[in-house]
C-alpha cells in the first residue's frame, strides 16, 4: 500500500511517500527557516503563503523520487490538527482536492501522535525490532509537550501535557534572550556544549509527586531574570544549566509514567528530541529501568510527512477492521 503523507501544520512544507506504514520511498521537507529568521519567530501569514507556493512542486517531486504515479497512491494522510490554522488549511485543501479528483481515500492525522509514528519508519534509521505495546510516548516539540499511553500503533490516549509553555518554545525563547541564532533549540544545544551544566541551578517544576503534566514558564522566567541581573558574560553556563533543568523534568515525567502504567516500552518524538543530551539521558533512564526505548533519527524528529503517512496507514487499517 502506497501512502502519501502531507504536513503543513507549521513552517515546514512536507510531502512523503511511505510503503505499508514502514518504508520511506521519499521524504521531502522544505524548511521556511530562512523566511522567518529575520522576524525571530514564525509569521503565520507568511508560512501559509510559502506553503501555497511550493506544495504542488514538492508533491510532483515526491512522486518522481518514489517512482510512483498518482494512480498508484492508495491512501492520502494529512495533518489535520493541531497547528497554525492558515497553514493547516493549505495542506488539507491540497490533500482533499487530490483525493477527490483521483478517488483516493483520505485520512486525517493528529500531528502530535504522528511524531510518535516516526519510530515505525525506515530508512534512514534501521527498521526497529518489534515494538511491544502498550507503550508510553513523549512528544517534545516547538508547540507541545505531551505524554501519551499507546495501547497499540493506532490507539493513543493522552496522559499529560504542558500547563503553560511548550519545551521547544522555551528553548527558542531562552536562545533569543541569549542572543543566539534562529532557530533557537539547536543553537542553544551548541552553546551548552561549552558550558558547565551545574554552574547555575535553574528551577524545575515537578507539579507535585504524581502529576504527569509539565510547566516550563518558571524556568524561562528564571533565565530572563538571571540575564537581567548578571548579563550575558556567561552564555555557555546559562545554556547548559537551563538545558539540564529542562531535561531533568522531561526524564522524571517519563520515569513516573512508566511506574504508574507499568509499561516496558517508551517512544519519543518531536523536534526537541533531536537534542543529544536529552537522547543520552533518556538512554540512561531506559538502562536503569530495563525498558525498550525508541528514538527517531534526528531528521524524523522534526516535522516531516513520513510520520503522518505512517500513522495514517495504521489508523486506516484500524478503521477497516
Ligand atoms: O517538532 P518540531 O519540528 O515542530 C513542531 O511541531 O513544533 O519542533 C521544533 C522545535 C523548535 O522549538 C526547535 O527549537 C526545537 O524543536 N529543537 C530543539 C533542537 N532541535 C530542534 N530543541 C533543543 N535542542 C535541539 N537540538
Ligand atoms: Zn511537530
Amino acid at each position: 500500500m502506497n501512502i502519501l503523507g502531507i504536513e503543513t501544520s507549521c513552517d515546514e512544507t512536507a510531502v512523503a511517500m511511505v510503503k505499508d506504514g514502514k518504508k520511506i520511498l521519499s521524504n521531502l521537507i522544505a524548511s521556511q527557516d530562512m523566511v522567518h529568521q529575520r522576524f525571530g519567530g514564525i509569521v503565520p501569514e507568511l508560512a501559509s503563503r510559502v506553503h501555497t507556493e511550493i506544495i504542488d512542486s514538492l508533491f510532483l517531486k515526491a512522486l518522481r523520487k518514489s517512482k510512483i504515479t498518482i494512480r498508484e497512491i492508495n491512501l492520502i494522510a494529512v495533518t489535520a490538527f493541531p497547528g497554525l490554522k492558515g497553514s493547516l488549511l493549505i495542506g488539507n485543501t491540497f490533500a482533499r482536492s487530490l483525493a477527490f479528483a483521483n478517488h483516493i481515500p483520505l485520512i486525517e492525522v493528529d500531528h502530535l501522535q504522528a511524531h510518535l509514528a516516526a519510530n515505525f519508519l525506515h530508512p534512514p534509521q534501521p527498521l526497529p525490532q518489534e515494538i511491544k505495546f502498550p507503550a508510553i510516548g513523549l512528544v517534545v516539540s516547538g508547540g507541545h509537550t505531551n505524554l501519551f499511553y499507546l495501547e497499540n500503533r493506532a490507539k493513543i490516549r493522552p496522559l499529560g501535557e504542558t500547563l503553560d509553555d511548550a519545551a521547544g518554545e522555551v528553548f527558542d525563547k531562552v536562545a533569543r534572550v541569549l542572543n543566539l541564532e534562529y532557530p533557537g533549540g539547536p543553537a542553544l544545544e551548541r552553546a551548552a556544549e561549552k558550558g558547565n551544566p551545574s554552574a547555575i541551578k535553574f528551577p524545575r517544576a515537578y507539579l507535585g509527586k504524581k502529576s504527569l503534566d509539565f510547566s516550563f514558564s518558571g524556568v524561562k522566567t528564571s533565565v530572563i531574570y538571571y540575564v537581567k541581573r548578571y548579563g550575558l558574560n556567561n552564555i555557555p553556563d546559562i545554556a547548559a544549566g537551563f538545558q539540564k533543568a529542562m531535561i531533568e523534568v522531561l526524564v522524571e515525567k517519563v520515569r513516573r509514567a512508566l511506574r504508574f502504567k507499568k509499561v516496558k516500552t517508551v517512544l519519543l518524538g518531536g523536534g526537541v528530541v533531536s537534542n543529544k543530551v536529552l537522547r543520552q539521558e533518556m538512554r540512561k533512564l531506559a538502562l536503569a529501568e530495563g525498558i525498550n526505548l525508541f528514538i527517531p533519527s534526528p531528521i524524523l524528529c522534526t516535522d516531516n510527512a513520513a510520520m503522518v503517512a505512517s500513522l495514517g496507514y495504521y489508523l486506516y487499517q484500524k478503521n477497516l477492521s
Side-chain angles (χ1 to χ4, degrees):
M1 192 165 174
N2 296 316
I3 309 108
L4 173 74
I6 295 177
E7 157 64 44
T8 61
S9 67
C10 197
D11 62 335
E12 262 101 23
T13 320
V15 179
M17 195 73 72
V18 169
K19 202 169 181 63
D20 300 329
K22 293 192 187 86
K23 188 170 170 31
I24 297 178
L25 303 179
S26 64
N27 186 25
L28 303 180
I29 305 162
S31 162
Q32 300 180 7
D33 281 353
M34 298 294 279
V35 177
H36 302 285
Q37 204 159 32
R38 67 195 164 106
F39 302 102
I42 298 160
V43 183
E45 174 56 29
L46 276 181
S48 12
R49 253 187 262 171
V50 179
H51 287 314
T52 314
E53 280 161 18
I54 59 173
I55 192 159
D56 200 18
S57 57
L58 211 60
F59 164 65
L60 294 174
K61 200 166 160 193
L63 284 182
R64 281 199 301 276
K65 225 172 158 223
S66 330
K67 299 192 173 63
I68 291 232
T69 62
I70 292 184
R71 283 170 189 281
E72 290 169 309
I73 301 173
N74 306 107
L75 176 69
I76 299 177
V78 61
T79 298
F81 51 86
L84 301 170
K85 292 268 183 308
S87 291
L88 285 167
L89 191 66
I90 310 303
N92 278 265
T93 309
F94 186 81
R96 269 167 208 288
S97 314
L98 202 62
F100 180 74
N102 297 285
H103 310 286
I104 304 168
L106 177 116
I107 194 150
E108 294 185 339
V109 166
D110 176 330
H111 177 85
L112 297 183
Q113 299 186 0
H115 268 300
L116 298 174
N119 291 290
F120 310 154
L121 292 160
H122 82 107
Q125 57 202 15
L127 193 59
Q129 317 294 330
E130 195 199 346
I131 301 178
K132 292 206 178 80
F133 290 92
I136 295 296
L138 173 70
V139 177
V140 202
S141 73
H144 299 86
T145 312
N146 291 60
L147 267 170
F148 291 101
Y149 180 82
L150 295 92
E151 226 165 90
N152 53 48
R153 285 173 154 88
K155 207 162 175 198
I156 305 174
R157 60 182 169 84
L159 287 179
E161 62 182 340
T162 180
L163 303 180
D164 40 55
D165 299 348
E169 189 184 345
V170 175
F171 264 93
D172 293 338
K173 174 74 189 173
V174 167
R176 213 148 72 186
V177 170
L178 300 183
N179 280 340
L180 302 174
E181 69 197 51
Y182 176 89
L188 194 131
E189 180 181 3
R190 283 194 298 278
E193 276 166 18
K194 294 170 225 126
N196 172 4
S198 306
I200 310 162
K201 182 144 174 142
F202 292 111
R204 284 94 166 123
Y206 291 108
L207 307 172
K209 286 204 160 59
K210 291 193 177 145
S211 171
L212 294 178
D213 289 327
F214 303 86
S215 167
F216 295 117
S217 62
V219 60
K220 176 186 77 181
T221 311
S222 170
V223 176
I224 294 172
Y225 277 117
Y226 183 93
V227 170
K228 271 195 183 143
R229 186 154 179 200
Y230 300 105
L232 285 174
N233 321 321
N234 201 3
I235 291 175
D237 283 351
I238 303 173
F242 159 76
Q243 183 172 267
K244 186 174 158 85
M246 296 294 289
I247 291 174
E248 276 185 14
V249 171
L250 292 166
V251 171
E252 170 58 19
K253 296 288 168 157
V254 171
R255 183 184 289 118
R256 279 183 193 181
L258 285 167
R259 297 249 162 98
F260 295 163
K261 293 291 165 193
K262 302 196 173 20
V263 162
K264 287 283 175 201
T265 305
V266 172
L267 310 176
L268 303 183
V272 182
V273 172
S274 36
N275 183 288
K276 289 194 274 303
V277 184
L278 176 59
R279 297 164 87 87
Q280 205 175 12
E281 292 303 316
M282 287 290 180
R283 283 197 194 102
K284 279 191 207 157
L285 172 76
L287 211 61
E289 302 280 329
I291 55 149
N292 291 315
L293 174 69
F294 296 88
I295 314 181
S297 294
I299 184 70
L300 292 173
C301 284
T302 42
D303 287 350
N304 65 84
M307 66 186 196
V308 174
S310 176
L311 183 59
Y313 170 80
Y314 291 106
L315 291 173
Y316 188 68
Q317 300 295 325
K318 186 181 92 178
N319 292 351
L320 290 184
S321 65

